[in-house]
Amino acid sequence: MPPIDDHPLRYELANELHARPFPSLSAPCTAAYLAIKQPQDAAKRDRAADLAHLTALLDRYGAPHPQPGATHYSGEIGRHVLKWESHTEFVTYTVFTEGVSTRPFDPADFEVFPADWLARAPGMRVTSALIRVTPWKNKEQTCEETDQWFVSESVAVARVLDDAAVIAGDFRIDTAGHLRFSVSVAPNTGARRIGRIVQRLCEIETYKSMSMLGFARVREMGRQMGETDSQLSRLIGDMTSGSQPADETLQDLLHVSAELESLVAQSSFRFGATAAYEQIVNQRISVLREERFEGRQTFAEFMMRRYEPAMRTMRATKERLDAMADRAMRAGELLRTRVDVERSAQNQSLLESMDKRADLQLRLQRTVEGLSVVAISYYAVSLAGYLLYPLTGVLGLSKGMITAAVTLPVIALVWWMVQRIRNKLH
């Protein structure tokens, strides 16, 4: 094959598909999970601060540093294994430790993250969890542990991946500030499959928490959207009744439209991200291939009852906001049409009044022309009389007779000159 240049991103993009492998875990083990997000504009955050925070943790354990600009890292920190990932809006830390504590979900398991290091995190905790992975004992033991560790009202339990394990969790935050998940692994389950199960649980919890940020945003917008909707309905009513001048209604409507566009701009990213996170949650649950365990609700059923209503509210709010923006746009177009029609009528009336005034001015001009002929003729006759007075003795006529004789010719000549000037101008 002849030599050919590679696209500069060929290897980078190909390696990206293999950059975040699932961990390989064996039972028993413990996973401590932490997700951190900046409260505002997380997608535009300084990612160098995330790497610096990771490096500070690695320095505590004398572990090697990640590559500059890295978006993922995996390595040993002491007797633990750390997996770090940088996402669009958040970063995640997962620490795997062999064995489990005597006390189930002991908060001490989370002390792998030093308290002072957590205090300097470039963001805030979105979620954290402790995952306890143990070998399968028996059905009775699993039921007993589930009843003991989780709140029965909200606990979700399921067999996953063709009886490879039984997972359980209630998605409640315990007194130490963490969620709890348990994984009872069948004897023949491989290390990579265990890692996939644990990874899926972390992803389900993280993306569930991230998508709920959209629901929180919806609740914040509720009051403002209600007020804007009422104002928009009132303005449309004013358009119908004509109780308010169209120009004033248009200004108020433009103000409402600007508010709606501002809401759309502020919420569009969060709505889009929430929809994407929701799809990931449902997809991660789907790939677990859940089967019911002892009549308990599955993770999919838990999400359907508790999580899906929040997502439907978010989608309904987005549709309502889009509908309000469209309604304001249509109302604005109709109102602008009405204003244009009214202005056209006003312009027509103005043109008619201008025609009337022009006609009056023309009549006045003709009257003035007539008077000007008389005035000019008067002075012209006087001048002609002064010129002809010396001829009174020769002609045997009096001054009055001469003046009378030249009056009509002078008037005719002046009138002819005025008419000629007007004809040239027009």
Side-chain angles (χ1 to χ4, degrees):
M1 179 178 178
I4 184 173
D5 293 333
D6 286 324
H7 190 282
L9 298 178
R10 181 191 176 200
Y11 286 96
E12 179 181 347
L13 297 178
N15 293 332
E16 182 66 23
L17 300 178
H18 311 283
R20 303 171 191 247
F22 291 105
S24 295
L25 305 174
S26 59
C29 67
T30 301
Y33 180 75
L34 173 67
I36 298 174
K37 174 187 178 297
Q38 289 188 1
Q40 301 293 334
D41 294 330
K44 303 176 183 178
R45 70 186 185 278
D46 181 10
R47 296 177 185 268
D50 297 334
L51 277 173
H53 193 231
L54 169 65
T55 303
L57 178 63
L58 297 176
D59 289 341
R60 296 290 186 98
Y61 293 93
H65 292 180
Q67 295 293 327
T71 58
H72 52 85
Y73 174 87
S74 182
E76 294 183 359
I77 53 173
R79 65 184 185 90
H80 314 283
V81 175
L82 170 66
K83 181 178 181 181
W84 174 86
E85 293 182 347
S86 176
H87 300 265
T88 302
E89 290 193 89
F90 58 92
V91 295
T92 61
Y93 293 81
T94 313
V95 174
F96 305 102
T97 307
E98 292 185 359
V100 293
S101 57
T102 303
R103 175 188 175 187
F105 305 105
D106 191 342
D109 294 335
F110 208 79
E111 292 178 0
V112 65
F113 301 114
D116 59 334
W117 176 83
L118 289 172
R120 292 193 296 271
M124 307 178 73
R125 174 170 56 178
V126 175
T127 186
S128 61
L130 291 173
I131 303 175
R132 183 181 177 90
V133 182
T134 57
W136 168 265
K137 300 180 182 65
N138 53 64
K139 180 174 62 177
E140 291 74 17
Q141 180 71 22
T142 302
C143 290
E144 181 181 348
E145 291 174 349
T146 300
D147 294 336
Q148 181 180 357
W149 295 342
F150 305 108
V151 178
S152 59
E153 177 188 358
S154 55
V155 65
V157 189
R159 299 179 184 272
V160 296
L161 299 180
D162 305 320
D163 281 338
V166 174
I167 60 174
D170 57 8
F171 295 94
R172 290 180 179 269
I173 302 175
D174 63 15
T175 55
H178 313 301
L179 281 82
R180 301 177 173 187
F181 296 98
S182 70
V183 181
S184 298
V185 181
N188 59 346
T189 303
R192 291 192 177 277
R193 177 162 282 195
I194 296 175
R196 284 198 297 271
I197 293 173
V198 172
Q199 182 71 23
R200 296 307 186 204
L201 288 175
C202 294
E203 291 174 348
I204 289 170
E205 167 54 26
T206 303
Y207 290 112
K208 182 266 296 179
S209 299
M210 290 297 298
S211 58
M212 290 299 290
L213 294 176
F215 179 68
R217 175 63 179 153
V218 163
R219 290 196 298 186
E220 292 176 1
M221 293 169 53
R223 182 184 60 82
Q224 184 178 0
M225 285 183 61
E227 294 177 354
T228 304
D229 195 7
S230 299
Q231 188 176 4
L232 179 59
S233 299
R234 178 182 59 80
L235 291 174
I236 293 176
D238 292 341
M239 288 174 54
T240 304
S241 62
S243 58
Q244 186 176 356
D247 290 343
E248 296 181 8
T249 304
L250 182 59
Q251 292 299 322
D252 294 340
L253 189 58
L254 291 176
H255 178 71
V256 171
S257 297
E259 289 184 353
L260 289 173
E261 288 300 324
S262 177
L263 281 176
V264 171
Q266 293 172 8
S267 59
S268 59
F269 176 81
R270 179 52 50 202
F271 284 162
T274 298
Y277 295 147
E278 179 193 3
Q279 291 182 358
I280 294 176
V281 170
N282 293 330
Q283 189 267 344
R284 297 297 189 267
I285 293 176
S286 175
V287 298
L288 287 174
R289 301 196 300 274
E290 292 184 290
E291 296 179 7
R292 191 178 302 280
F293 177 80
E294 294 300 305
R296 306 294 183 95
Q297 68 175 347
T298 62
F299 278 63
E301 289 174 337
F302 174 88
M303 294 298 176
M304 180 184 66
R305 293 179 54 205
R306 310 294 181 90
Y307 172 72
E308 183 60 27
M311 296 298 100
R312 284 199 298 267
T313 300
M314 189 278 300
R315 289 192 295 271
T317 302
K318 180 180 182 302
E319 292 173 359
R320 179 189 177 194
L321 183 59
D322 292 340
M324 288 172 59
D326 292 341
R327 186 154 53 113
M329 183 181 299
R330 290 194 301 270
E333 292 175 354
L334 291 173
L335 194 56
R336 279 191 291 271
T337 302
R338 177 180 170 185
V339 170
D340 291 342
V341 171
E342 291 181 353
R343 287 179 177 174
S344 297
Q346 293 175 355
N347 292 338
Q348 183 66 28
S349 177
L350 179 61
L351 290 174
E352 292 177 356
S353 63
M354 291 176 64
D355 289 341
K356 292 180 179 179
R357 285 195 295 270
D359 184 62
L360 291 175
Q361 290 177 353
L362 180 59
R363 294 180 181 180
L364 179 61
Q365 180 181 354
R366 290 177 178 176
T367 302
V368 171
E369 288 177 358
L371 295 176
S372 63
V373 169
V374 173
I376 294 172
S377 299
Y378 172 78
Y379 289 107
V381 169
S382 298
L383 292 175
Y386 286 119
L387 290 174
L388 297 175
Y389 285 163
L391 301 177
T392 55
V394 177
L395 300 175
L397 297 174
S398 65
K399 292 181 178 180
M401 292 295 292
I402 291 177
T403 301
V406 300
T407 297
L408 291 178
V410 168
I411 293 175
L413 179 62
V414 171
W415 178 86
W416 176 79
M417 292 177 61
V418 170
Q419 290 296 319
R420 185 177 180 183
I421 293 173
R422 187 177 68 177
N423 291 335
K424 288 184 177 181
L425 293 177
H426 293 287

